[in-house]
């Protein structure tokens, strides 16, 4: 994915819930535990998506009560 952002979440469970909710909203994402995630939260998980869909993704996650720990521009 080019021009992507990693959204860091607190657990694998939230990452899977987030990915499912985003897919239902038409936003493609992938779960990662890449270096961007480990720098912010050693045991956390993240989802990577196109930066152009970031605002929509934030809205979806907020509506479900899924807390975003952090965000990082870049690849997996």
């Amino acid at each position: 994915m080019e021009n992507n952002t990693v959204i860091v979440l607190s657990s694998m469970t939230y990452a899977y819930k987030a990915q499912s909710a985003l897919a239902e909203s038409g936003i493609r994402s992938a779960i990662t535990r890449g270096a961007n995630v480990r720098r912010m939260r050693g045991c956390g998980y993240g989802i990577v998506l196109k930066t152009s869909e970031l605002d929509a993704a934030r809205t979806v996650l907020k509506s479900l009560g899924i807390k975003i720990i952090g965000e990082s521009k870049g690849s997996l």
Side-chain angles (χ1 to χ4, degrees):
M1 290 182 192
E2 292 183 12
N3 297 318
N4 36 351
T5 297
V6 177
I7 295 177
V8 180
L9 304 168
S10 62
S11 70
M12 181 172 53
T13 300
Y14 279 118
Y16 280 106
K17 285 181 181 181
Q19 184 182 36
S20 177
L22 293 175
E24 288 177 16
S25 297
I27 300 171
R28 291 184 57 185
S29 64
I31 294 175
T32 181
R33 287 201 67 192
N36 291 343
V37 175
R38 288 193 300 273
R39 274 193 294 274
M40 281 188 229
R41 186 170 177 98
C43 61
Y45 283 78
I47 51 172
V48 61
L49 54 110
K50 291 180 183 177
T51 300
S52 62
E53 298 180 315
L54 183 57
D55 288 336
R58 285 184 190 130
T59 300
V60 170
L61 299 181
K62 184 177 179 179
S63 73
L64 296 173
I66 297 175
K67 183 178 178 184
I68 296 173
I69 302 298
E71 297 174 3
S72 176
K73 303 286 187 221
S75 63
L76 298 171

